[in-house]
Amino acid sequence: MGELAEALRRGDGLVAEASFEGEDLAGATCDAAEFSQVTLTGCSVAGGRFDRASFTDVVLRDCDLSNASLRNSYWRRCELIGCRLVGVDLWQSFFAASRATDSNLSFANLAGSKLERMRLKGCNLAEASLSGLRFKGGITLERCDLTRAELYQTRLAGVDLSGCEIAGIRLSDAKSELRGAKIAPEQAIDLVGLLGVRILGLDD
């Protein structure tokens, strides 16, 4: 048993004021686990189940959470750096004053989540489910890839998408999600097709 697994067992699901490196909890189950003031480096919980887990003042660096289930999880003042979260299930989770940098969240499920003062920089969100997201206090998206991401019923008013890849984003028929969003002039061509408009010289 690794040190992190032992800490979870010993603390009855609570880990606080500790650092772990290279721990492998792939496939593990520990619902409602609590992490406070913890640093995880190069650790894996790929395919594991940590539903309703709580993370406060936690740093994850180069960790693998691919295909893990963290539904209804809680994140406050957390930082994810260079992490792999392909296919992670974060359905109806809550993020506050947290940020993700250079992390891969392609095919992730964040549907129904609430993001409060969240920042994502250099992240891959291609084909992620971002439907029904609620923003509070603003969200910053910097150099993120939203290619073919689902954004149904996610109000983007005031959100700056100008530095992101938005080709093929999936919206409701009315496209009302985009109302009030900010884009760069060159991104307009990515949205024209969604509106059913043809550009002469490009489509012929």
Side-chain angles (χ1 to χ4, degrees):
M1 182 181 294
E3 293 181 8
L4 178 54
E6 174 60 23
L8 284 165
R9 185 197 64 79
R10 188 173 59 249
D12 195 23
L14 170 64
V15 180
E17 300 180 2
S19 296
F20 302 91
E21 184 171 356
E23 295 284 327
D24 187 1
L25 269 70
T29 296
C30 191
D31 290 341
E34 297 181 54
F35 298 84
S36 177
Q37 295 182 311
V38 172
T39 297
L40 301 174
T41 303
C43 297
S44 174
V45 295
R49 194 181 77 193
F50 288 76
D51 294 339
R52 302 184 309 283
S54 172
F55 302 84
T56 305
D57 298 312
V58 171
V59 176
L60 291 90
R61 184 178 284 105
D62 301 322
C63 292
D64 188 357
L65 289 78
S66 298
N67 298 312
S69 180
L70 291 119
R71 295 164 69 91
N72 296 115
S73 54
Y74 174 93
W75 306 71
R76 181 175 291 277
R77 295 187 301 274
C78 293
E79 186 168 7
L80 292 87
I81 307 166
C83 291
R84 181 176 172 80
L85 299 98
V86 177
V88 67
D89 189 354
L90 290 158
W91 179 78
Q92 289 197 349
S93 292
F94 174 78
F95 294 82
S98 297
R99 58 183 177 178
T101 305
D102 298 330
S103 294
N104 188 351
L105 292 99
S106 56
F107 300 98
N109 178 19
L110 285 97
S113 293
K114 182 177 180 180
L115 280 58
E116 182 178 306
R117 290 176 289 123
M118 183 75 178
R119 180 177 183 182
L120 295 101
K121 180 179 180 181
C123 291
N124 182 359
L125 292 151
E127 303 201 51
S129 177
L130 309 175
S131 298
L133 292 185
R134 292 168 293 159
F135 303 130
K136 183 178 180 181
I139 180 172
T140 300
L141 297 170
E142 184 178 347
R143 294 188 293 102
C144 291
D145 186 353
L146 295 165
T147 302
R148 295 184 297 280
E150 294 180 0
L151 289 156
Y152 304 116
Q153 298 182 345
T154 293
R155 297 180 61 186
L156 297 168
V159 177
D160 188 349
L161 300 171
S162 62
C164 299
E165 175 59 63
I166 59 173
I169 56 173
R170 289 175 274 183
L171 308 167
S172 65
D173 290 343
K175 311 296 186 292
S176 58
E177 294 87 354
L178 284 172
R179 188 173 296 123
K182 302 174 184 179
I183 64 170
E186 60 271 18
Q187 290 176 304
I189 195 169
D190 291 324
L191 303 180
V192 164
L194 296 176
L195 300 174
V197 176
R198 298 180 61 191
I199 301 177
L200 296 178
L202 292 181
D203 298 318
D204 296 341

